[in-house]
Amino acid sequence: MSHTFRNMFYGVSALLTAGLGLTTSLNAQAPDIAFDSSASFLKLPDGTYFGEVAGVATNSKGHAFVYTRGGTTLASTGGSRTFTSGGSRLFEFDQTGKFLRELAVGMYGLLFAQSVRVDPQDNIWLVDRGSNLVLKLNSEGRVSMVLGRKPEAAPLGRGEGAPGGRGAEGRGGAEGRGGATGRGGLPGAGVAGDNFNGPTDIAWDTIGNIFVSDGYGNARIAKFDRNGAFIKSWGHKGKETGQFDTPHSIALDASNNVYVADLGNRRIQVFDTDGNFKSQIANIGAPRAICISPQPRQFLFSSNSNDPAGYENGKIYKLDLDGKLIGRFGRAGTQVKQFGTVNAIDCRQPNELQVGELINWRVQKLTLR
């Protein structure tokens, strides 16, 4: 290829990619980022243990909130129906790792933990995949908003068990209740409103609008205003841009771009706040958890988490917001500095992360060097 033709070729390719907002494809041979880890930073009381750590998030004081699948599931009978609760617990630790308290003890909506996030006002938001609820707690731990409705168990004697999006944890498609046909007859599109079916994560834009990834039974993003009023939703099951195969995590940057970890399609899709597709990032494995660090320079962290059935992959990628790869760190395993299915990343401090693991039942505090 001549020098002139080569320049023309690359110039046209760059123009097409930039102009159409197409895929940013990353080199698999990313530079390794050195890091240290503490797997015992958080100190639980004697006789109390983590189960699968589905969520970890910090507030403005540096306190860590851990949403874990553990505890005792209880069933009570009301009329002719059985109602379940328990099965997940929410713990708070101070900035030194000292245990402070357990929140939401015995709360109706805590059934199968999926995610915890803290908003800019230090409210604590729980996403529960088993109860199909998104709960907002104030800093005192009192419920101040409920999105969704917990599925009712079948009438006694029917033998159907409790519904609610608790399918296998693998990297493929919409497990749980199967992604029923929704808007416009589209699979996984859901119905208008907060009728969640296996919700996975939550994020906010700069004016407080709420975005929920509804990903194990449905395959959509649902948008609400700051008061919880439904605005719109977008997406359904599929492989094309704007479609999803288990939207598993969500984050917004300071410019209100919406990043969606499209787990089953092995990509991160980027939208504006009205759901218009802008770009996508590929070749970072299967993104199970994503996090965007605060300003002034924001970074995107994405976990290529190993499937819970094995110990392949497991690394975490660090990227610029345009998808440029900065580096990667870690691998799958059970030792310190190894990861067992990272389901949550907190990156309030971009060089000091906390990651929650499903397989290893722990939170690791990572210091990037």
Side-chain angles (χ1 to χ4, degrees), residues 325-337:
L325 183 61
I326 296 172
R328 66 183 184 182
F329 51 94
R331 62 184 177 87
T334 60
Q335 303 303 306
V336 176
K337 301 179 70 172

Side-chain angles (χ1 to χ4, degrees), residues 177-354:
R177 288 189 284 164
T181 300
R183 291 173 286 111
L186 298 171
V191 297
D194 60 350
N195 296 281
F196 302 127
N197 190 351
T200 54
D201 204 1
I202 188 169
W204 308 268
D205 64 17
T206 55
I207 61 173
N209 289 321
I210 303 163
F211 298 81
V212 176
S213 51
D214 190 15
Y216 268 96
N218 290 327
R220 64 166 185 157
I221 305 301
K223 178 181 178 181
F224 307 84
D225 72 15
R226 64 185 305 119
N227 298 313
F230 178 73
I231 297 175
K232 68 181 302 182
S233 63
W234 72 86
H236 60 87
K237 184 70 179 290
K239 299 183 179 299
E240 302 300 321
T241 57
Q243 301 174 1
F244 304 109
D245 187 352
T246 318
H248 204 269
S249 188
I250 189 168
L252 276 79
D253 65 20
S255 299
N256 286 332
N257 295 303
V258 183
Y259 297 72
V260 180
D262 189 3
L263 178 67
N265 287 324
R266 303 175 67 86
R267 63 188 177 185
I268 297 172
Q269 296 195 65
V270 185
F271 304 88
D272 66 20
T273 55
D274 288 322
N276 298 306
F277 174 80
K278 299 183 72 173
S279 63
Q280 65 181 16
I281 302 168
N283 288 349
I284 52 170
R288 178 174 288 270
I290 61 175
C291 182
I292 295 177
S293 63
Q295 292 179 299
R297 183 181 179 186
Q298 295 191 285
F299 298 102
L300 171 64
F301 294 90
S302 178
S303 169
N304 176 23
S305 290
N306 55 298
D307 189 298
Y311 279 99
E312 298 177 356
N313 303 312
K315 60 187 71 66
I316 297 175
Y317 289 95
K318 181 180 181 180
L319 308 94
D320 279 325
L321 296 185
D322 61 3
K324 179 182 178 182
L325 183 61
I326 296 172
R328 66 183 184 182
F329 51 94
R331 62 184 177 87
T334 60
Q335 303 303 306
V336 176
K337 301 179 70 172
Q338 298 176 351
F339 304 129
T341 310
V342 171
N343 199 66
I345 303 173
D346 178 85
C347 61
R348 185 179 290 269
Q349 302 294 331
N351 290 317
E352 188 177 280
L353 311 181
Q354 295 191 39

Side-chain angles (χ1 to χ4, degrees), residues 33-68:
I33 298 174
F35 73 104
D36 298 312
S37 175
S38 171
S40 57
F41 172 70
L42 301 180
K43 307 296 185 182
L44 282 165
D46 291 342
T48 303
Y49 307 96
F50 291 136
E52 295 177 343
V53 176
V56 60
T58 59
N59 67 10
S60 62
K61 298 177 181 178
H63 291 191
F65 298 86
V66 178
Y67 196 26
T68 178

Side-chain angles (χ1 to χ4, degrees), residues 5 32 61 63 68-69 72 97 104-105 111 114 128 132 135 173 175 211 214 231 238 253 265 268 321:
F5 184 77
D32 289 327
K61 298 177 181 178
H63 291 191
T68 178
R69 299 168 185 169
T72 302
V105 178
L111 188 61
Q114 182 61 35
D128 195 286
N132 286 337
L135 305 175
E175 299 101 347
F211 298 81
D214 190 15
I231 297 175
D253 65 20
N265 287 324
I268 297 172
L321 296 185

